[in-house]
Amino acid sequence: MAATGGEEKRAALLRQITEEGGFAFVASAEKAAAGDVRAAEAAREMAWEQLHSAPRDEVGAAWRNAYALACLHVAALRAGSAAGGGAGDDDRRAALRALDMGLIMGGGLLRAELEDAIARVVADRRGGETEAEAVDGGNVEKWKEGIAGDRDLADVLKLLPVKSLSCKKIERRSCISLEAFIRDYFICESPVILSGCIDHWPARTKWKDISYLERIAGDRTIPVQVGKNYACTELKQELVMFSQFLERMWSSDSTDLTYLAQHPLFDQIKDLREDITVPEYCCAGGGELRSLNAWFGPHGTVTPLHHDPHHNLFAQVLGRKYFRLYPPSVSVDLYPHTETTLSNTSQVDLDNIDEKEFPKTADLEFMDGILEEGDLLYIPPNWWHYVRSLSISFSVSFWWRTSHLPSGSS
């Protein structure tokens, strides 16, 4: 029955693509289904061109689903070649890349099929392993040193915006009850750092081992941003293998920093999802989890001053980060961008404030603090925040919305 349902989905999709004039794609997809790998690659290329023919939000769902279908065909033929005595690991990696691209760029129609195919390829790869490939010893040591980062406060202050750690500190509490969190912070929408709440996560120990990350995710393809920060015009987006990303952790060039930022990594790589759990604080207000994202990168990554519409619980799993927060009440004095795409982002570069152009910002009060390994930071909706990594850092953000507004909201 499941197979029939899948066939019906694909047939309906091909009819829709035909109606949109994609006759060449449909012809190639049908040949791919019959085992023609060249036709599968051609179909994927045609769908890829359609995805880039207009801004992403203007590309129809049908072509995103068509891209996912083509990725499934490519992966099936590549993985079949590996199983049949072809190029082995090379073909398995090509199959995984195709499937990851389907997850990242494709639509949701065939997502379950993509995930099932990934599970089969990963199981096949692990079933054929005889001995895990060792990670270079030098990288292991650099990894440990990179996580430790700048531990001396004097060194840290040299990296941070002016006046950092000199005003109001973000309140810090040991692991408190959900009731206390709601009463003291959630209802009044006040930030707080909660320590000792995620010590039971397997991620707290497993992710410190670069060999583990390499083994679990090394062959997977992920989207990264390369550049100073997301607001810079020079920012580039790249698709790289996770193993290549790990190699870039030692970069010290701020204009070439590689950052896995706000990506649903745990939907993509299920093994990593098993290393974390959703904190009970996300139930506050009848909470409904909206997104679970990874933030993973080297020392020096910066997220510019911005705000988000949801409740945010930010978990610092590896390394440490500096946070500066401003309340929504001072939004006008933070000079938000006027264009729609960056309207939640300040024009002010806190690392180098132009007081002539933005005269009101420098004297604004803020609260700040350093998030250490194992800390959670609660950021209420619409609170402005600036973030800088002080070491190699692996963080997880939980965004949730509520079924009703806290009593302190207007």
Side-chain angles (χ1 to χ4, degrees):
M1 183 69 70
T4 302
E7 290 169 4
E8 290 176 352
K9 282 183 184 178
R10 295 182 185 212
L13 173 60
L14 292 179
R15 286 195 298 271
Q16 189 174 1
I17 293 298
T18 299
E19 292 170 359
E20 295 193 13
F23 304 106
F25 174 88
V26 172
S28 293
E30 289 173 345
K31 290 180 182 178
D36 187 333
V37 67
R38 289 186 178 180
E41 294 285 8
R44 183 169 63 164
E45 184 63 28
M46 282 184 267
W48 180 261
E49 289 176 0
Q50 288 293 325
L51 295 187
H52 291 80
S53 64
R56 181 173 174 81
D57 58 357
E58 296 179 15
V59 176
W63 277 108
R64 291 198 296 273
N65 290 326
Y67 181 75
L69 175 60
C71 289
L72 278 165
H73 284 316
V74 170
L77 295 169
R78 292 292 189 185
S81 173
D89 282 346
D90 287 344
D91 276 335
R92 273 190 286 269
R93 289 190 183 100
L96 270 179
R97 179 174 177 81
L99 294 168
D100 277 326
M101 291 297 294
L103 286 178
I104 295 167
M105 301 296 295
L109 181 69
L110 302 172
R111 186 174 185 88
E113 291 188 42
L114 289 164
E115 292 175 345
D116 288 345
I118 286 173
R120 289 194 297 272
V121 174
V122 169
D124 178 58
R125 176 179 179 271
R126 291 178 184 169
E129 286 179 346
T130 55
E131 184 176 347
E133 185 177 342
V135 175
D136 180 84
N139 280 352
V140 171
E141 290 306 312
K142 285 190 287 186
W143 178 252
K144 293 178 180 177
E145 293 173 2
I147 294 171
D150 297 299
R151 292 292 171 180
D152 185 82
L153 184 58
D155 291 335
V156 169
L157 285 172
K158 295 175 184 176
L159 304 172
L160 301 180
V162 294
K163 299 183 180 179
S164 292
L165 304 178
S166 65
C167 297
K168 183 179 180 181
K169 299 293 195 323
I170 302 172
E171 188 174 354
R172 177 179 288 273
R173 298 281 299 274
S174 294
C175 193
I176 58 177
S177 68
L178 174 60
E179 292 76 12
F181 169 71
I182 292 173
R183 180 190 67 238
D184 297 340
Y185 305 101
F186 179 78
I187 289 178
C188 56
E189 296 191 350
S190 178
V192 64
I193 295 174
L194 303 169
S195 58
C197 301
I198 62 171
D199 291 345
H200 62 287
W201 284 9
R204 292 277 288 112
T205 53
K206 286 185 174 181
W207 295 359
K208 289 185 177 181
D209 181 1
I210 191 175
S211 301
Y212 170 77
L213 296 174
E214 178 75 40
R215 185 175 71 255
I216 293 298
D219 290 341
R220 305 298 299 275
T221 297
I222 56 171
V224 295
Q225 65 180 40
V226 181
K228 184 179 178 182
N229 62 60
Y230 75 75
C232 292
T233 56
E234 300 84 6
L235 187 75
K236 298 182 294 182
Q237 302 286 340
E238 294 183 12
L239 291 158
V240 301
M241 286 180 61
F242 199 90
S243 57
Q244 296 172 318
F245 173 60
L246 291 175
E247 284 288 337
R248 297 188 186 185
M249 286 294 168
W250 333 122
S251 173
S252 58
D253 183 356
S254 63
T255 62
D256 199 34
L257 290 175
T258 302
Y259 195 16
L260 177 73
Q262 197 172 330
H263 176 58
L265 183 68
F266 310 105
D267 289 339
Q268 184 185 349
I269 304 177
K270 303 295 186 180
D271 285 340
L272 292 177
R273 176 64 178 85
E274 293 175 3
D275 292 339
I276 64 174
T277 56
V278 179
E280 67 172 350
Y281 304 116
C282 297
C283 297
E288 176 189 346
L289 197 65
R290 298 295 296 169
S291 63
L292 172 59
N293 288 314
W295 307 79
F296 188 13
H299 177 288
T301 59
V302 169
T303 301
L305 191 62
H306 71 289
H307 65 83
D308 302 308
H310 300 294
H311 296 273
N312 183 1
L313 200 62
F314 193 92
Q316 188 63 23
V317 185
L318 281 189
R320 61 205 313 231
K321 281 186 170 178
Y322 168 82
F323 273 80
R324 179 181 288 197
L325 283 73
Y326 294 84
S329 58
V330 301
S331 293
V332 174
D333 294 339
L334 293 175
Y335 304 91
H337 281 275
T338 54
E339 58 264 40
T340 304
T341 55
L342 287 175
S343 61
N344 72 325
T345 303
S346 172
Q347 299 179 62
V348 182
D349 179 359
L350 288 186
D351 293 305
N352 187 24
I353 299 177
D354 185 335
E355 295 192 27
K356 290 184 177 179
E357 188 171 3
F358 309 113
K360 298 180 181 179
T361 303
D363 294 329
L364 289 176
E365 291 189 0
F366 57 83
M367 60 175 67
D368 66 353
I370 294 176
L371 215 58
E372 304 284 355
E373 284 186 3
D375 285 345
L376 294 173
L377 170 62
Y378 170 58
I379 306 174
N382 301 316
W383 272 73
W384 293 81
H385 46 289
Y386 160 99
V387 192
R388 174 180 281 273
S389 294
L390 304 178
S391 67
I392 288 175
S393 172
F394 203 157
S395 315
V396 183
S397 63
F398 301 86
W399 277 12
W400 79 97
R401 68 178 184 183
T402 59
S403 55
H404 60 272
L405 290 172
S407 59
S409 298
S410 58

